[in-house]
Amino acid sequence: MRHMIPLYRGDYLEEHDYRWVQAKARELRRKDTGLGLVMDIAKWDMEHGRGKEAIEQLTILQEREPYSEEICRLMMEVYASMDDQQGILRLYHSFTVTLDEDLGYQPEPETSRLYQNLTDQ
């Protein structure tokens, strides 16, 4: 293992400013950090009526990965499973402000569509 450390050159294609590279790097980082496991547990919690527990875990994840569209979408789905429209509205507004102020980005179309679908009901 210690022979591998000198081979590490950073995140996947981090020197490029392509949006698809950022998404792929996030996906690879997610696999390495246990993010996927926590999200799977949160999905299980949501499906078994434990939305509050899912939101608690996802909030911790979002603090670590504040620009994660995937975490934001899952949190909106959990709030929807709890019939918490205000939670969806607060989360989406906060997320869009963070993306815009910190990165100058807008949410991905998939995130915006989910928000619209969940709030049009």
Side-chain angles (χ1 to χ4, degrees):
M1 180 68 153
R2 65 176 186 233
H3 298 291
M4 298 291 286
I5 294 170
L7 299 176
Y8 179 73
R9 301 281 188 252
D11 283 344
Y12 180 71
L13 298 175
E14 71 181 346
E15 68 276 6
H16 298 286
D17 193 26
Y18 303 125
R19 200 171 187 102
W20 71 269
V21 169
Q22 293 169 357
K24 186 65 174 174
R26 279 194 309 268
E27 177 188 335
L28 294 172
R29 207 170 28 252
R30 176 182 181 267
K31 290 177 182 175
D32 289 339
T33 61
L35 189 68
L37 177 61
V38 176
M39 290 186 68
D40 288 344
I41 292 169
K43 286 176 191 174
W44 186 91
D45 281 341
M46 175 183 69
E47 292 164 0
H48 291 87
R50 297 170 40 98
K52 183 179 178 201
E53 290 83 355
I55 290 294
E56 288 172 3
Q57 292 300 311
L58 292 170
T59 299
I60 293 168
L61 280 184
Q62 192 177 45
E63 289 170 2
R64 285 182 38 207
E65 299 282 341
Y67 313 118
S68 172
E69 302 266 349
E70 189 175 12
I71 294 170
C72 179
R73 288 190 296 264
L74 182 54
M75 289 180 80
M76 287 193 293
E77 290 173 1
V78 173
Y79 279 126
S81 77
M82 298 166 49
D83 294 322
D84 186 350
Q85 289 289 306
Q86 289 301 311
I88 296 168
L89 295 171
R90 280 191 312 270
L91 172 66
Y92 186 78
H93 175 72
S94 172
F95 183 70
T96 57
V97 167
T98 298
L99 280 181
D100 185 45
E101 289 180 355
D102 292 358
L103 305 175
Y105 288 163
Q106 294 299 312
E108 294 173 356
E110 183 179 352
T111 303
S112 297
R113 273 192 304 276
L114 178 62
Y115 170 74
Q116 290 299 322
N117 290 340
L118 294 176
T119 57
D120 284 346
Q121 297 174 357

